[in-house]
Amino acid sequence: MSERLKFAIVLGSLAAVPPICTEMYVAAFPIIGETFNVSATDVQLSLTSSLLGIATGQIFIGPLSDIHGRKKPLLLSLLIFIIASFCCAIAASMPQFILLRFIQGLAGSGGVVLSRSIAYDKYKGPSLTSFIALLMIINGIAPILSPVLGGQIINLFSWRAVFRFLTLCGIALFAASLKILPETLEEKDRMKANWERVIVSFLILFRNKSYLACMVIHCLILGGMFAYVSASTFILQVVYDFSPVEFSLCFALNGLGSIIVTKFSANMIMLYNEQTQLKVITRVFTFIGIALLGISLFNIHILPLLLVLLFMISSCIGAGQCNAFSLAMHHIKGNAGSASGLLGITSFLMGAILSPLVSLAGETSLFPLALIIFLCGTISMFSLSTLSVSHH
């Protein structure tokens, strides 16, 4: 195995921490509700708290990695993730579980932001896009394997066993990061330990209109994904009577679609740049939203049609996220940790906001999800139109 592939596998696995945390237990939402005797919205708050944790963590870990290097903050975050995952498995109440999910997300944020920052340290331009696409493909294996594995663990043992498994995953990632990942940010390239500089680095990003436009697209695409994750478990299991295993298999198939489209996108990057690809992706997202609104408003119950549209949502995610990230990083100069962190912060905040909204009209209503996907696509199209044409 080449060093580049080993490097990519470890970074891709670190970037996969949030989808593993989300999609491995999502099939258990109805069961968790029964365990703690709470509503669907309360259960979805455990997803929201995790996403808030991931967003909050990136506020600090991105800039910290620009000051102290990438490796030490990464190893510390993984250690906290291991402890939090174990505690989730023994949570005694829903409020306790929600708090522990926040801490787990907070720690898991290290893998998200630092995997991308490390990639940025080593690659630039189209090479960065290609490498990020490779990470997304490796990362994309998580949405395929984790729901299937999670469904089997829930079926054979319990939902708590999922978090014991996540504890073991954390230990494996800690060992792999310690052994395989080098420190990619040299002392001379680090920021001085001055939080005033950190604040300034964020302010510079907020004045960068091109970066902000890409950030909006990135966070809306990822936010749409979390809305889809949160809504689909109840719609398919409650309305269409899918078992946890059937739901997880469906979810895994959708994850496969994301990998295929991301791989195709990476292969096409020299012919069609990130901006061109995002035009197609944002239009498809908008079309899916319109189709879902039609299904909801006219009360159409055609399961194959719904499954195709959910598959299309998932297929857009990886390529959209990859191209939006690379395009955003193309518009910055330095402070990659802060820039990568801000992309993550806004994306997971958006996910935290949108996830509980999908059940506002009832856990079995498709309308909130349809509206969210439509708005995410439409606003992304508008943001993309504000960018000048990129030729890099």
Side-chain angles (χ1 to χ4, degrees), residues 37-82:
N37 194 26
V38 294
S39 69
T41 303
D42 289 333
V43 178
Q44 284 163 338
L45 282 175
S46 70
L47 175 60
T48 297
S49 68
S50 177
L51 298 177
L52 281 173
I54 293 168
T56 305
Q58 289 177 84
I59 294 172
F60 302 102
I61 201 155
L64 277 173
S65 75
D66 286 334
I67 294 168
H68 299 292
R70 313 300 188 201
K71 196 161 182 176
K72 286 179 183 176
L74 175 62
L75 293 175
L76 178 61
S77 69
L78 286 171
L79 190 60
I80 297 169
F81 176 82
I82 292 164

Side-chain angles (χ1 to χ4, degrees), residues 23 26 28 75 89 96 106 130 154 183 220 229 237 257 261 277 334:
E23 289 152 25
V26 74
L75 293 175
Q96 193 180 97
L106 194 74
S130 296
I154 293 160
E183 176 55 68
L220 287 173
V229 168
Q237 290 190 83
V261 174
Q277 292 194 25

Side-chain angles (χ1 to χ4, degrees), residues 16 21 59 63 69 103 115 129 145 170 174 264 269 280 299 303 313 385:
C21 287
I59 294 172
I103 297 169
S115 62
T129 304
L145 294 182
F174 183 91
F264 180 75
I269 195 63
V280 176
N299 203 23
L303 180 59
I313 293 173
S385 71

